């Protein structure tokens, strides 16, 4: 496979997952602002922008939920926003058109064509719901119509790394914002994890158990551990039989942070949760850089392909 095609596939997976997870995070936090009149809006919005890697206004400017929506939802230029991510995914799909199924291309192109109407006429909850539905459609088409070759591996690799990063951000928002953040039950629901969590823990609800589920459950596809394991598996399938090459090998980077989470006592994880989630995000970024160096050409413009956000 040409490296430019592989790179586009990798970023299609990342951008679609980024749009989906950003919609879930924003939906949970904005719902809290609507339901709880005691939440300080400026603090909650600044905490959310910080965790999502966006630069907020100066301290003397009041940050509102509309500022958050403009920055993280409706901005079609920034790949860190929902609309920008969907636009970037479609552009990468255009570049990789020769290896994508017609159904996958049509799903991405239809989503992109509907963006102007959705961003201008839909209420935020309806917009977030639409984004989740489109992301689920794209993910289903990828799994149903793509041969289990390098095309599928690069798509799922990008999706898995982004999912680990975004789940870590979701957990970090809960840890950093304190009373200004949604409860664990709300976060579980936003991930579609609440029912799976209740079945796993036989109906018991506790903050520690919820955090442990989102971090370490080996079978739930949105947990950090599952996503890191899936990313490692994709890298192994891309180069079967090849041993890890050193500290700059992407499997080494992911394996180090995965084993640190998996084998560290849970109380230690919870006692330093913001730093632990920052480490996960840093490892995902380092693994992404290592994947670029290993599989994609150097010296190529990153416009719409892997922009920092």
């Amino acid at each position: 496979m040409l490296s430019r095609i592989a790179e586009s596939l990798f970023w299609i997976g990342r951008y679609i997952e980024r749009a989906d997870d950003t919609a879930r995070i924003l939906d949970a936090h904005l719902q809290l602002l609507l339901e709880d009149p005691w939440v300080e809006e400026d603090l909650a919005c600044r905490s959310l922008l910080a965790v999502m890697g966006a630069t907020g206004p100066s301290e003397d400017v009041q940050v509102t939920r509309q500022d958050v929506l403009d920055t993280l939802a409706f901005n079609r230029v920034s790949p860190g926003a929902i609309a920008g991510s969907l636009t970037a995914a479609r552009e990468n799909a255009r570049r990789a058109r020769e290896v994508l199924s017609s159904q996958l291309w049509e799903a991405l192109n239809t989503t992109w064509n509907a963006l102007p109407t959705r961003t201008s006429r839909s209420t935020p909850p309806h917009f977030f719901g639409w984004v989740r539905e489109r992301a689920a459609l794209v993910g289903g088409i990828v799994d149903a119509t793509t041969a289990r070759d390098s095309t599928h591996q690069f798509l799922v690799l990008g999706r898995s790394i982004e999912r680990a990063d975004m789940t870590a951000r979701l957990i970090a928002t809960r840890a950093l914002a304190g009373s200004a953040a949604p409860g664990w039950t709300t976060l579980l629901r936003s991930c579609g994890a609440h029912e799976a969590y209740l079945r796993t823990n036989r109906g018991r609800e506790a903050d520690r158990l919820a955090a442990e589920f989102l971090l370490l459950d080996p079978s739930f596809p949105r947990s950090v551990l599952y996503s890191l394991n899936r990313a490692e598996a994709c890298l192994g399938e891309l180069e079967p039989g090849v041993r890890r090459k050193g500290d700059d090998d992407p499997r080494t980077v992911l394996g180090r942070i995965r084993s640190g989470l998996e084998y560290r006592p849970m109380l230690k994880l919870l006692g330093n949760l913001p730093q632990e989630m920052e480490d996960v995000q840093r490892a995902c970024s380092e693994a992404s850089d290592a994947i670029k160096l290993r599989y994609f050409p150097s010296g190529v413009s990153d416009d719409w392909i892997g922009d920092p956000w």
Side-chain angles (χ1 to χ4, degrees):
M1 177 182 291
L2 293 175
S3 57
R4 65 174 178 83
I5 299 296
E7 188 171 18
S8 290
L9 294 171
F10 176 77
W11 284 101
I12 290 170
R14 289 204 68 167
Y15 282 130
I16 291 298
E17 185 64 28
R18 184 177 299 176
D20 184 13
D21 291 341
T22 302
R24 293 174 182 275
I25 292 172
L26 291 181
D27 197 18
H29 279 261
L30 295 182
Q31 190 65 31
L32 175 72
L33 292 177
L34 290 173
E35 293 177 352
D36 190 346
W38 303 108
V39 171
E40 186 178 345
E41 183 172 353
D42 179 72
L43 173 61
C45 291
R46 285 186 184 277
S47 298
L48 180 56
L49 289 173
V51 170
M52 298 300 290
T55 302
S58 59
E59 293 295 331
D60 58 337
V61 177
Q62 181 78 13
V63 183
T64 67
R65 69 195 70 181
Q66 189 59 49
D67 296 323
V68 171
L69 289 171
D70 291 340
T71 302
L72 298 177
F74 302 139
N75 189 332
R76 298 190 64 181
V77 176
S78 169
I82 295 171
S85 294
L86 294 176
T87 301
R90 189 264 186 186
E91 177 61 17
N92 278 282
R94 185 183 62 80
R95 297 179 182 183
R97 181 68 183 87
E98 61 206 72
V99 299
L100 298 181
S101 68
S102 297
Q103 287 178 291
L104 181 54
W105 163 251
E106 288 170 5
L108 292 167
N109 195 46
T110 300
T111 302
W112 177 73
N113 284 324
L115 263 179
T117 300
R118 292 289 179 172
T119 55
S120 62
R121 298 182 184 178
S122 297
T123 63
H126 286 100
F127 176 68
F128 298 146
W130 175 77
V131 171
R132 291 195 300 269
E133 288 175 1
R134 299 307 299 181
L137 174 64
V138 170
I141 292 174
V142 166
D143 291 337
T145 67
T146 307
R148 270 33 179 187
D149 55 10
S150 55
T151 298
H152 187 264
Q153 299 307 331
F154 277 113
L155 285 166
V156 176
L157 175 61
R159 180 174 69 189
S160 300
I161 289 178
E162 188 70 25
R163 184 172 290 178
D165 178 273
M166 295 298 283
T167 302
R169 291 177 189 270
L170 180 69
I171 295 171
T173 61
R174 177 68 183 86
L176 289 173
S179 62
W184 284 108
T185 299
T186 302
L187 296 188
L188 288 168
R189 291 185 185 279
S190 71
C191 289
H194 190 241
E195 292 179 1
Y197 162 78
L198 291 178
R199 285 194 296 270
T200 299
N201 292 282
R202 300 182 179 181
R204 293 177 297 164
E205 294 201 29
D207 289 353
R208 185 189 67 80
L209 293 175
E212 184 175 1
F213 185 82
L214 287 178
L215 278 171
L216 301 176
D217 190 87
S219 58
F220 182 67
R222 287 193 174 275
S223 76
V224 174
L225 179 63
Y226 183 98
S227 300
L228 293 174
N229 278 329
R230 191 69 187 92
E232 283 189 83
C234 288
L235 289 167
E237 290 169 16
L238 285 170
E239 293 186 285
V242 176
R243 299 187 63 175
R244 300 182 181 186
K245 302 180 178 68
D247 290 342
D248 58 348
D249 182 80
R251 281 184 293 174
T252 301
V253 176
L254 293 174
R256 186 182 299 119
I257 192 67
R258 187 260 308 155
S259 60
L261 290 174
E262 191 171 10
Y263 297 109
R264 190 167 301 154
M266 192 62 200
L267 289 179
K268 288 188 176 180
L269 281 178
L270 294 179
N272 193 27
L273 203 52
Q275 183 60 51
E276 296 289 349
M277 295 304 96
E278 185 177 333
D279 290 344
V280 171
Q281 295 167 44
R282 186 181 302 110
C284 289
S285 178
E286 291 175 0
S288 182
D289 291 340
I291 289 166
K292 286 185 192 179
L293 292 174
R294 175 68 186 88
Y295 297 104
F296 312 143
S298 59
V300 177
S301 171
D302 281 345
D303 184 30
W304 288 125
I305 305 180
D307 312 70
W309 64 293

